[in-house]
Amino acid sequence: MSFRLFDTLTGRLGPIRRRAGRPLGMYVCGPTVYAPAHVGHARTYLYFDVVRRTFQAEGIPVRHVMNITDFEEKIDRRAAALGLTWRALARREEAGFFRDLDALGLLRPNTAPRASDFIPRMVRVAARLERTGRVHRSGDAWYYRPPERPREANFPVSTELARHAVLEPGHPFPESEATAGEFMVWQEQEPPLPSWNGPWGRGMPGWHLECYAMAGEYLGIPVDLHGGGLDLIYPHHHAENEIALALNGTAFSRHFLHTAFVLQNGAKMSKSTGNLVSIRDALAEGSAGGLRWYLLRPRFTERLSWSFSELAEATAEQRRVQAAVRRWLEGGAGGPIGASAAESLRREVRADLLDNLGTDRTIPRLREFGARLEWASHPGIARGDRPAAVRALREVEDRLGIPLR
RNA sequence: GCCGAGGUGGCAGAAUGGUUAAUGCGACGGACUGCAGAUCCGUUUCCUGGGGGUUCGAUUCCCUCCCUCGGCUCCA
């Protein structure tokens, strides 16, 4: 059975291809560390966690890389406000970020490189881009201008968006500093702002170069699977693709996965608008298993309107199923439900997830399984059936990261 | 302006041509309890946005209209 996922680049559902004989290379865009992570981050990283667990459960090893963007203007601003150096703030928030991910039961990436440790490689990418002759200076920064491409070559939808951002008169959002599709390669600046020596003197490399350099170092371009939140498509992943097309002749990744937003009060939750629910806030109200249950209930392509009361409901549901399973597994003379029920559940959950990460089918399935057990839990499972049931349930737990026993 | 998602019972949310349209929440009744909560049992007539079309048959496919919502500097 193959693992099919919706690919944002092609707009189609298809199997994940990878280089035979190698671990699957999964590169997930990590956070800019300047403030605590919110439940929108949690949702994105959670889906990638389930993707990773799915591959692993299928016997496919995964090499999971996540970058940590530890220098950036927003870090500078907040650090200045707090009287910290950019580095001190970034380290503090990075530690908090991983604490939050751990608390949610997310598997740690195999590698989580920091941007500031990748300067020489990013400088090399900048130099290679310059050799294409498509880099020009504007103000105190250098920009890469991609060549014209067929619209379908690189996120057709967002290319369209980019075009409208500058070509449409009276468009209702501010013009970017650059022309459509262009992106910054190098920014001149001096300490105390983050700065290093580069091809054009003292300064800081552009964000999009970071992922290209790291993915190239740890996985090779193109990677097998790449993604993040939907908001990263343009300009970030668009720009990564332009770099990869220019320097490698391929897209950045063979497959792109993007997760839909968490909305709060009808708007996208984001640090810049401040309408945030942090992962810590959420875990104070619901358990880790409950938060996973709640976040996984809609499929990754559906947006989620945040609701604390639904989180509470999800937490209660998860606990209830867990309690029913525990009572069932305590065993007895052998009730009407045997190990085959757990085995069916295991099979169905596997099929759900392999089919475009159908967590929206899986969660109700768990609920129904729990309800069936409640309905006929006494006298519990026959002793001889127990090991098989536990084995099946453990696989479901491993695939979802949700405790059931 | 451009792109996208969606309209199913009080709410959430399944069912991608086929019996009485799942399930959960809520509500109501009951059991238990000194009361409440938790838990368990039962009940919940009434729901597929409007209009066409395809079909023996449509929530499901096609057309059209209406409505709602999201995104488009940075951002998971």
Side-chain angles (χ1 to χ4, degrees), chain A residues 140-401:
Chain A
D140 57 0
W142 280 259
Y143 296 87
Y144 175 81
R145 175 176 297 158
E148 289 289 324
R149 295 187 195 285
R151 191 168 288 188
E152 60 277 9
N154 189 358
F155 294 117
V157 169
S158 50
T159 305
E160 181 93 1
L161 285 175
R163 191 158 289 144
H164 282 290
V166 288
L167 297 185
E168 287 284 330
H171 57 78
F173 49 95
E175 282 188 37
S176 62
E177 79 284 2
T179 327
E182 290 190 3
F183 55 88
M184 196 184 81
V185 172
W186 191 261
Q187 166 81 53
E188 263 183 6
Q189 60 187 21
E190 299 280 339
L193 294 178
S195 54
W196 297 268
N197 291 320
W200 298 283
R202 197 87 183 151
M204 168 185 93
W207 174 40
H208 312 301
L209 279 57
E210 172 181 332
C211 292
Y212 185 84
M214 291 176 176
E217 174 74 14
Y218 292 113
L219 300 173
I221 305 287
V223 304
D224 294 312
L225 176 63
H226 182 41
L230 216 44
D231 44 5
L232 291 184
I233 292 178
Y234 188 83
H236 185 48
H237 293 166
H238 185 270
E240 289 172 353
N241 272 339
E242 289 298 339
I243 299 173
L245 286 164
L247 303 186
N248 197 53
T250 67
F252 183 91
S253 176
R254 296 190 164 79
H255 207 97
F256 282 85
L257 178 86
H258 290 98
T259 58
F261 299 136
V262 176
L263 306 181
Q264 167 79 318
N265 301 325
K268 174 173 166 265
M269 199 176 276
S270 77
K271 290 179 193 170
S272 50
T273 51
N275 58 340
L276 298 178
V277 175
S278 72
I279 296 176
R280 269 159 250 176
D281 294 340
L283 286 175
E285 296 293 320
S287 66
L291 183 53
R292 290 179 80 107
W293 184 284
Y294 173 59
L295 292 174
L296 290 174
R297 206 153 47 176
R299 197 180 290 236
F300 69 94
T301 51
E302 301 289 323
R303 57 191 182 218
L304 170 68
S305 292
W306 180 262
S307 154
F308 274 108
S309 63
E310 285 176 18
L311 169 62
E313 182 185 316
T315 299
E317 283 178 2
Q318 186 269 330
R319 286 205 178 111
R320 185 169 171 169
V321 170
Q322 190 171 9
V325 170
R326 278 182 184 158
R327 280 196 301 274
W328 180 55
L329 288 178
E330 276 168 15
I337 301 181
S340 63
E343 175 54 23
S344 304
L345 179 72
R346 183 198 69 79
R347 233 186 358 258
E348 288 162 354
V349 168
R350 171 173 183 251
D352 289 342
L353 296 176
L354 289 177
D355 182 14
N356 200 25
L357 226 54
T359 56
D360 57 319
R361 287 195 301 267
T362 298
I363 299 299
R365 208 184 282 297
L366 296 179
R367 199 169 58 197
E368 281 162 31
F369 180 73
R372 270 183 71 200
L373 293 182
E374 271 180 3
W375 193 72
S377 65
H378 302 292
I381 190 168
R383 207 168 299 283
D385 260 12
R386 195 173 180 280
V390 168
R391 207 176 316 122
L393 290 172
R394 188 177 293 141
E395 182 181 320
V396 174
E397 291 176 316
D398 286 345
R399 283 179 183 269
L400 294 167

